[in-house]
């Protein structure tokens, strides 16, 4: 259910939410599973971009990325 346009991403097998490690609102922080709650680091905004989607942290305005990942 959305929270001011943001969503929590719940992992199906663990029923935990994705969030930035240690609630850190900065770049290059691990995305980890944690008990779902009211933490701002667990809120994500979906953003359409050139036929794909980005997940943007409502807490830091940074996007989820994959270390060493490529866009192709």
């Amino acid at each position: 259910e959305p929270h001011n346009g943001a969503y929590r991403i719940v992992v199906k097998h663990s029923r935990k939410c994705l969030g930035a490690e240690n609630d850190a609102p900065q770049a290059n922080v691990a995305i980890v599973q944690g008990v779902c709650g009211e933490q701002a680091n667990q809120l994500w905004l979906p953003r359409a971009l050139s036929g794909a989607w980005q997940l943007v942290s409502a807490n830091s305005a940074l996007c989820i990325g994959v270390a060493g990942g490529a866009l192709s």
Side-chain angles (χ1 to χ4, degrees):
E1 182 154 323
H3 302 269
N4 295 323
Y7 295 84
R8 284 190 175 76
I9 300 173
V10 181
V11 179
K12 187 174 183 178
H13 73 276
S14 68
R15 301 182 78 111
K16 292 184 177 182
C17 290
L18 294 185
E21 189 171 42
N22 298 321
D23 298 332
Q26 61 213 34
N28 300 315
V29 173
I31 303 301
V32 296
Q33 296 181 43
V35 176
C36 296
E38 296 300 318
Q39 299 93 318
N41 73 317
Q42 294 181 345
L43 294 174
W44 301 95
L45 299 160
R47 179 168 55 190
L49 181 69
S50 301
W53 289 92
Q54 289 181 324
L55 291 175
V56 181
S57 169
N59 190 36
S60 68
L62 297 171
C63 297
I64 287 182
V66 178
L71 296 176
S72 59

